[in-house]
């Protein structure tokens, strides 16, 4: 199953460390759950649809082992749990392809109407941090509903973005508070094709800074610097228990900040020494 999207051969120790199966689990749960959430106001000819909720198996492991859980036995979050935190956002933009159409559904599980500016940016894996194209439009979504708010022919999308083939590019969908830079929910990244079907440059990465958040001995801001677009960035704090604000994500800016919340008191110097960072291309 992993090989349908990601290039793998015989697993090397570094590939095992990266945990391809966690990427596969996270993306599978994301794809499935977003589909269910998009279908809450849609009924198909076979009577499917009208999905008013979604659960996944399973939350946590009850003993140390390989399992379907999104939280390890000791409490550490797997990539799938970081993804679940985002794909269960009450307001979510869900981009997808259906046949020859690229669509975006706006999901609003809140009890009030949401209004925002939809931003769609198309990036190329090998084209740096500048979007190849962008579109924006005002959208509004009534409470507890899901509606398609954007549709475009895939061929047209690829042409106006100068993407030679679908796998060369990915889309970032964001909902912005009008007149500001504030994001409603989280940006959602959609791969237009399988990563195995394109060439993704290896991006050198480093932790540029670790700063303690004022007034908290356990919360830190980690600045991650990348030389190129980096898919599935994974951070580890070896020997320091805690969780990141996001992990396993796509980095498409030169510097992005991630927060780390430790379970017990620590300091910025010790946390920085403990950090390890890698992305998908580090194991190819």
């Amino acid at each position: 199953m992993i090989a349908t999207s990601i290039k793998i051969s015989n697993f090397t120790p570094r590939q095992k460390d990266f945990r391809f199966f966690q990427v596969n689990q996270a993306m599978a749960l994301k794809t499935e759950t977003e589909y269910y959430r998009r279908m809450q106001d849609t009924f198909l000819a076979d009577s499917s649809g009208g999905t008013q909720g979604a659960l996944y198996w399973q939350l946590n492991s009850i003993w140390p082992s390989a399992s379907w859980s999104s939280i390890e036995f000791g409490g550490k979050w797997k990539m799938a749990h970081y993804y679940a935190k985002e794909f269960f956002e009450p307001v979510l933009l869900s981009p997808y392809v259906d046949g020859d159409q690229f669509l975006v559904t706006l999901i609003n599980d809140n009890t009030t109407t949401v209004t925002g500016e939809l931003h769609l940016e198309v990036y190329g894996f090998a084209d740096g941090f500048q979007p190849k194209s962008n579109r924006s439009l005002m959208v509004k979504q009534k409470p507890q509903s899901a509606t398609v708010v954007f549709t475009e022919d895939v061929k047209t999308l690829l042409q106006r973005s100068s993407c030679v083939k679908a796998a060369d590019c990915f889309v970032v969908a964001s909902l912005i508070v009008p007149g500001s830079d504030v994001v409603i929910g989280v940006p959602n990244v959609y791969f237009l094709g399988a990563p195995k079907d394109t060439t993704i440059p290896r991006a050198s990465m480093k932790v540029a800074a670790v700063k303690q958040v004022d007034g908290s001995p356990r919360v830190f801001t980690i600045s991650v610097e990348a030389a190129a677009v980096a898919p599935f960035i994974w951070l580890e704090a070896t020997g320091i228990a805690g969780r990141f604000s996001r992990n396993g994500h796509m980095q498409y800016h030169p510097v992005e900040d991630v927060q780390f919340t430790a379970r017990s008191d620590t300091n910025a110097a010790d946390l920085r020494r403990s950090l390890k960072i890698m992305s998908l291309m580090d194991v190819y």
Side-chain angles (χ1 to χ4, degrees):
M1 184 181 291
I2 299 172
T4 62
S5 298
I6 299 173
K7 294 176 184 176
I8 58 172
S9 51
N10 294 325
F11 280 120
T12 66
R14 190 159 175 79
Q15 287 175 325
K16 290 179 180 177
D17 188 43
F18 185 71
R19 304 177 183 183
F20 279 114
F21 56 88
Q22 286 204 26
V23 174
N24 185 68
Q25 179 193 25
M27 289 298 292
L29 288 176
K30 176 182 187 294
T31 302
E32 181 180 21
T33 304
E34 286 190 21
Y35 173 78
Y36 293 147
R37 296 190 64 193
R38 291 196 302 265
M39 293 294 289
Q40 62 180 274
D41 288 327
T42 302
F43 293 88
L44 303 181
D46 62 0
S47 297
S48 62
T51 310
Q52 295 301 308
L55 296 173
Y56 67 86
W57 181 266
Q58 67 198 70
L59 179 63
N60 63 306
S61 293
I62 59 174
W63 54 71
S65 66
S67 76
W68 281 103
S69 73
S70 62
I71 300 177
E72 294 181 2
F73 173 73
K76 181 180 177 181
W77 287 18
K78 296 180 182 178
M79 192 180 296
H81 206 72
Y82 286 105
Y83 275 46
K85 178 174 175 281
E86 297 192 350
F87 63 62
F88 277 131
E89 280 280 344
V91 177
L92 180 71
L93 286 170
S94 179
Y96 61 103
V97 168
D98 186 5
D100 60 0
Q101 296 296 302
F102 171 79
L103 307 98
V104 180
T105 292
L106 175 53
I107 301 161
N108 179 18
D109 284 344
N110 287 334
T111 57
T112 56
T113 297
V114 62
T115 301
E117 188 172 359
L118 168 62
H119 286 199
L120 289 176
E121 298 175 309
V122 179
Y123 290 83
F125 284 105
D127 296 305
F129 298 112
Q130 285 297 117
K132 296 170 72 67
S133 72
N134 56 71
R135 295 280 296 273
S136 64
L137 66 152
M138 293 299 298
V139 294
K140 179 183 288 188
Q141 189 65 36
K142 64 183 183 180
Q144 299 177 334
S145 64
T147 306
V148 175
V149 293
F150 182 85
T151 305
E152 185 174 18
D153 184 83
V154 172
K155 185 176 180 180
T156 302
L157 173 67
L158 296 177
Q159 287 177 341
R160 70 175 176 82
S161 305
S162 301
C163 300
V164 176
K165 60 180 185 293
D168 293 341
C169 296
F170 62 94
V171 179
V172 180
S174 306
L175 189 63
I176 310 296
V177 174
S180 77
D181 294 326
V182 177
V183 177
I184 302 172
V186 293
N188 200 350
V189 174
Y190 181 78
F191 295 90
L192 290 169
K196 71 178 180 65
D197 294 328
T198 190
T199 299
I200 304 176
R202 184 181 182 277
S204 60
M205 298 175 298
K206 67 177 182 179
V207 174
V210 177
K211 297 179 180 179
Q212 188 168 355
V213 174
D214 291 342
S216 176
R218 300 185 182 184
V219 183
F220 302 83
T221 298
I222 302 167
S223 297
V224 178
E225 186 176 299
V229 168
F232 302 110
I233 279 188
W234 186 248
L235 290 159
E236 291 268 4
T238 305
I240 299 180
R243 66 176 183 272
F244 299 90
S245 57
R246 61 198 304 243
N247 214 348
H249 55 281
M250 167 79 76
Q251 179 152 336
Y252 49 91
H253 296 123
V255 179
E256 294 189 9
D257 290 341
V258 176
Q259 277 203 336
F260 179 80
T261 302
R263 290 193 195 173
S264 56
D265 292 358
T266 186
N267 59 71
D270 286 345
L271 176 59
R272 184 163 189 164
R273 280 191 291 268
S274 77
L275 289 172
K276 294 180 179 179
I277 183 171
M278 66 175 65
S279 76
L280 177 65
M281 305 320 297
D282 289 317
V283 296
Y284 274 13

